[in-house]
Amino acid sequence: ALENSTQTRLAYVLTGDAETDRISRLGLTGLSLIVRRRTAAELSDPQGVDPDRDDLSFFPLMYWPVTAGAADMTETARIKVNAYMQNGGTILFDTRDRAGGADLGELRALARKLDIPPLVVAPANHVLTRSFYLLQDFPGRWTGSALWVERAGARINDGVSPVLAGGNDWAAAWALDEDTQQALFPAVPGGERQRELAFRFGINLVMYVLTGNYKADQVHLPAIIRRLGQ
């Protein structure tokens, strides 16, 4: 706990499935590496967490690959996850639909256990489209799955949505070989350009949860407009 209190790191929820947990670890390790290379954010290695026993409060972002039985959480875990979201944490739920992950029904079952706010498809002007890179969509290993975010207007947690949900299998897109740092899974159908956009989404996501919603300020619009014109 002391180490986590002095370092910033991402977390992933342990599912009990060894391969899913391996991909989550390698994916968030790869994303943390790219974030360190391209931004001023210093992320330490990610940590797998069990909501039933671990302190979640140290992590600005948790990646949660939704697997069969994910909704079968204990009351202790439910209380801790709700407190995490209410106190500034953000969870990215990923159904990984085209990779054999859980279907949307499993995510709905999980959502019924948690205090998840009303969600909408991320609008074209959402802060996630411009928190570092300018983006039009949010691909992962797959593309085409909508990204769901908290409905605008709540303005809690500095305007940062406590929940993001989709099915593009982001961890698999970010996963790099530990020795060669080569990508482990193909990005379909867009190849390496799609993977680059997946990393850009990951960087935008990290900047979003670390800095809040300041990119929504009007003062940033002139610079953004200039960049769009380049």
Side-chain angles (χ1 to χ4, degrees):
L2 179 60
E3 183 180 10
N4 286 334
S5 69
T6 60
Q7 298 177 338
T8 301
R9 66 180 79 233
L10 308 179
Y12 58 95
V13 172
L14 296 167
T15 66
D17 178 80
E19 180 63 5
T20 298
D21 294 346
R22 183 183 78 92
I23 294 171
S24 293
R25 178 178 63 81
L26 293 175
L28 267 67
T29 299
L31 176 59
S32 298
L33 172 68
I34 299 300
V35 167
R36 289 195 300 270
R37 284 180 177 175
R38 300 189 189 182
T39 79
E42 289 292 334
L43 295 181
S44 297
D45 290 339
Q47 181 172 321
V49 295
D50 176 354
D52 192 49
R53 59 178 175 81
D54 291 321
D55 187 344
L56 308 179
S57 62
F58 299 110
F59 307 103
L61 174 69
M62 281 200 306
Y63 175 77
W64 193 321
V66 180
T67 56
D72 298 332
M73 65 173 61
T74 66
E75 181 66 9
T76 297
R78 188 189 71 81
I79 291 171
K80 289 170 69 174
V81 171
N82 282 335
Y84 173 78
M85 293 187 291
Q86 291 163 4
N87 290 300
T90 294
I91 301 173
L92 174 61
F93 290 104
D94 190 351
T95 59
R96 306 165 298 133
D97 292 325
R98 290 183 56 192
D103 61 18
L104 192 59
E106 193 67 41
L107 179 58
R108 288 196 179 106
L110 181 59
R112 284 193 291 270
K113 291 284 188 74
L114 300 171
D115 297 333
I116 291 179
L119 302 180
V120 297
V121 174
N125 64 345
H126 193 274
V127 179
L128 276 168
T129 65
R130 59 188 189 275
S131 51
F132 193 84
Y133 290 102
L134 295 174
L135 296 176
Q136 295 180 324
D137 56 9
F138 313 104
R141 184 183 183 188
W142 319 118
T143 189
S145 173
L147 180 69
W148 294 77
V149 300
E150 182 182 37
R151 187 172 59 202
R155 302 298 297 177
I156 59 173
N157 296 341
D158 199 22
V160 175
S161 177
V163 172
L164 308 167
N168 281 333
D169 201 1
W170 288 286
W174 301 330
L176 304 176
D177 183 274
E178 292 179 282
D179 296 321
T180 66
Q181 294 184 1
Q182 296 299 304
L184 291 178
F185 302 98
V188 180
E192 291 312 299
R193 174 58 181 169
Q194 181 175 319
R195 189 183 318 283
E196 169 62 22
L197 292 175
F199 273 120
R200 291 186 182 190
F201 164 61
I203 291 171
N204 277 23
L205 177 59
V206 170
M207 294 297 105
Y208 173 66
V209 300
L210 290 181
T211 64
N213 217 8
Y214 83 98
K215 280 286 186 177
D217 293 346
Q218 292 295 313
V219 69
H220 294 276
L221 284 179
I224 290 171
I225 291 170
R226 285 196 299 273
R227 287 175 62 188
L228 281 171
Q230 292 177 354

